[in-house]
Amino acid sequence: DNDPHVICAVAGLFVDERKYPKARKWYNRAVTLDDKIGDVWAAYYAFELSHGEDEHQKDVVTRCSGADPKYGELWCSISKDPANRKLEKKELLDRAARKLIEIQESANKVA
């Protein structure tokens, strides 16, 4: 009920159903519950890159930078990579989101 990962997964289901305003609301709920999980921020930003407007994308980047996320499997793999050590949060967010988009596209090709 209050797990950001579950809320994020539900948001993804709304994206699949093309209910973008509802998905945005659920992604926002997920990052509000725990703003330290970078994977949730990356999923939210990936959604905005694919389906959102520039204004929404900038809002997610600003809020993520302020939240300073530290957790998440994908987030940690990118943020702790020595090649990325000097990157700002917005650049880490962009890399994580694009990696998620890449993973989703490759999964769609297989399915």
Side-chain angles (χ1 to χ4, degrees), residues 58-99:
K58 289 178 183 174
D59 179 54
V60 172
V61 169
T62 303
R63 290 173 54 208
C64 178
S65 295
D68 191 30
K70 295 176 178 13
Y71 307 109
E73 187 177 338
L74 177 66
W75 183 265
C76 286
S77 72
I78 291 172
S79 66
K80 294 183 188 246
D81 184 343
N84 298 334
R85 66 185 169 85
K86 292 188 179 187
L87 296 181
E88 294 181 19
K89 292 290 182 222
K90 64 182 179 181
E91 294 162 321
L92 292 172
L93 178 64
D94 187 62
R95 287 189 184 198
R98 293 189 189 284
K99 182 70 174 173

Side-chain angles (χ1 to χ4, degrees), residues 21-75:
K22 206 167 201 175
R24 183 172 288 113
K25 213 182 287 187
W26 280 75
Y27 277 122
N28 190 45
R29 185 180 300 168
V31 297
T32 303
L33 280 172
D34 189 349
D35 62 0
K36 297 299 182 195
I37 303 175
D39 287 2
V40 176
W41 282 108
Y44 189 7
Y45 189 57
F47 161 72
E48 292 297 354
L49 285 174
S50 299
H51 306 289
E53 299 171 4
D54 202 37
E55 176 186 326
H56 293 293
Q57 295 169 11
K58 289 178 183 174
D59 179 54
V60 172
V61 169
T62 303
R63 290 173 54 208
C64 178
S65 295
D68 191 30
K70 295 176 178 13
Y71 307 109
E73 187 177 338
L74 177 66
W75 183 265

